[in-house]
Amino acid sequence: MGPGAVALGSLGGARCPGTSAVLVTGLAGGCAPGLQPGDVIVGDPVVTAGSGTAAGLADPGLRARAIRALDAGRLRYQVGPLLTVADVVTSPADKVGWWRTEGALAVDMESAHVLAWADRAGLPALAVRAVADGPGDEVPRELLAMLGTDGRVRARAVVRLLGRPALVGVAWRLAGRSRLALGSLARFVRAFVDLPGEP
């Protein structure tokens, strides 16, 4: 998760042969009032927190195709600012703060970095994220400690969680919301790929 994961991944090198466009997908934390887990955000623009400037505007062709795919998949979505932050936004107060100060519909930790790479590579790009935790959802820091830098759950941390019954309930609810968001992304990607014409 975050820029470190991008740097360690396959984006560190030159343009990949045969690549014609970049579609960034993943989960996000919802900031705008009314957003619900499973809602989809088309990031336009994608902004880096604290920079005051857009890291990338959506490619018009990819954006139009994404909206057609979202409509075809009958998914709830919004188009607007997606904010890339350095750390997971855990509290409802912080989410509201990003909404008020930056106009962020949602926050993630990677999109701006991937879009910057795509721009350097001369590739059209678009970021589409599904909301996992809504504006009113708290994400306990104890649960974040269970995740590795790759976003996967550490087995030893799960054992420690079993001794915290209150956290088990929260973890279960957040996992369900993440599954809902991933389901929305799967429907979107399927519809995006199935649309006629080149992506």
Side-chain angles (χ1 to χ4, degrees):
M1 298 188 314
V6 173
L8 291 171
S10 60
L11 301 183
R15 180 173 176 160
C16 304
T19 303
S20 60
V22 176
L23 179 63
V24 185
T25 62
L27 303 182
C31 299
L35 280 178
Q36 300 173 14
D39 288 354
V40 178
I41 303 300
V42 178
D44 192 15
V46 175
V47 180
T48 305
S51 70
T53 58
L57 295 173
D59 174 78
L62 292 176
R63 173 182 156 149
R65 185 182 182 92
I67 290 171
R68 290 199 311 274
L70 289 161
D71 287 337
R74 297 184 179 181
L75 291 158
R76 282 175 41 110
Y77 68 91
Q78 292 189 39
V79 179
L82 174 64
L83 185 70
T84 296
V85 295
D87 296 301
V88 177
V89 180
T90 59
S91 75
D94 288 341
K95 294 175 189 177
V96 169
W98 286 125
W99 160 249
R100 288 181 177 158
T101 60
E102 301 276 356
L105 296 178
V107 291
D108 76 356
M109 296 175 63
E110 301 85 17
S111 290
H113 307 293
V114 180
L115 264 59
W117 172 85
D119 183 60
R120 290 192 301 272
L123 293 168
L126 178 69
V128 178
R129 294 278 177 159
V131 173
D133 49 291
D137 291 328
E138 182 90 27
V139 181
R141 291 222 169 257
E142 298 93 326
L143 292 181
L144 297 179
M146 296 173 53
L147 302 177
T149 56
D150 61 357
R152 296 183 185 195
V153 176
R154 296 176 176 145
R156 264 192 269 177
V158 173
V159 174
R160 288 198 304 271
L161 177 65
L162 295 177
R164 306 277 304 276
L167 277 180
V168 171
V170 175
W172 186 260
R173 282 192 302 276
L174 289 174
R177 291 171 183 175
S178 293
R179 284 192 297 274
L180 181 64
L182 289 170
S184 292
L185 275 181
R187 285 167 58 194
F188 161 70
V189 171
R190 192 176 305 116
F192 185 89
V193 170
D194 287 346
L195 284 173
E198 288 294 321

